[in-house]
Amino acid sequence: QGVQRAEELRQVEQAGLAEAADDVAEETRRDAETRRLLAEATAPDASVETAVGYGRQVAARLVRVGGPWTRAAATDALGGSTADVQAFLATGLSLAAEQDDRARVAHLATTADRPAERAAAEAALAGGHAEVREFLTTRQYPGRAENDRITSPSGPNPASSVPSGRKRAMRVSESAVPTTTIFPADWAA
């Protein structure tokens, strides 16, 4: 039962991380190792064998973490010829990343709560890839600073506006602290 609960919590955490990552530019989703492999594959002095070998490794990594366009391009490169991998490295990956970024901004343009944010997303889509990436990075729109401002109804101390019954419920009592330590060997039990 404990193992099942731990797995459920892990899945919730992974879903949250994936959702958070959905609103960032495709290039920022790449981990350090993928960036290193990509740099090796696209180095000006890389041999064809080196470029293709590292290019396939990049594709294998991006199939798991890339957006839909990037995953499709990576899948094609993995199953393709040497020329396909070279095309993936030369233009395919950057074109796919741009399409993923545009898809993310288009999603934000249709789902944002604030009209100004929707308008800013639509304006970014009308521009080039640099504007799309900028919007994904900053999420700036007119009036954002005011919309993001947090104000307290009762003055400078936000805790003072919480009803006393809720304050008591939020306190951690000594009885709520676990007193049993579970070791990995106990998880299967």
Side-chain angles (χ1 to χ4, degrees):
Q1 197 175 32
V3 173
Q4 182 180 7
R5 178 68 180 142
E7 177 60 24
E8 289 170 3
L9 291 173
R10 186 189 69 76
Q11 288 174 355
V12 167
E13 179 185 19
Q14 292 298 326
L17 291 173
E19 184 177 316
D22 281 345
D23 289 346
V24 298
E26 186 66 26
E27 290 178 7
T28 62
R29 296 173 62 160
R30 299 176 191 156
D31 65 9
E33 180 63 8
T34 302
R35 288 191 301 271
R36 184 191 70 75
L37 292 167
L38 187 56
E40 294 284 342
T42 58
D45 60 344
S47 68
V48 172
E49 294 79 23
T50 298
V52 170
Y54 284 130
R56 288 191 194 281
Q57 289 180 52
V58 168
R61 295 174 75 82
L62 293 178
V63 163
R64 293 186 304 249
V65 298
W69 289 88
T70 297
R71 285 193 312 263
T75 299
D76 290 346
L78 278 174
S81 66
T82 297
D84 292 331
V85 176
Q86 289 174 313
F88 169 74
L89 293 170
T91 58
L93 179 56
S94 61
L95 291 173
E98 179 175 356
Q99 291 305 314
D100 283 328
D101 290 346
R102 287 187 175 281
R104 286 183 186 93
V105 173
H107 176 74
L108 292 170
T110 60
T111 61
D113 293 332
R114 294 175 171 72
E117 185 176 8
R118 285 193 301 271
E122 290 168 2
L125 287 171
H129 191 204
E131 288 81 10
V132 169
R133 275 195 319 252
E134 178 70 18
F135 181 77
L136 282 172
T137 302
T138 66
R139 301 281 292 272
Q140 286 294 0
Y141 59 90
R144 178 180 174 184
E146 187 164 321
N147 288 337
D148 289 350
R149 189 171 302 150
I150 299 173
T151 58
S152 170
S154 62
N157 182 2
S160 65
S161 66
V162 177
S164 61
R166 289 193 184 136
K167 286 181 189 174
R168 282 193 300 273
M170 290 189 294
R171 285 191 208 118
V172 177
S173 68
E174 289 299 317
S175 63
V177 177
T179 57
T180 306
T181 303
I182 299 175
F183 294 97
D186 299 331
W187 290 352

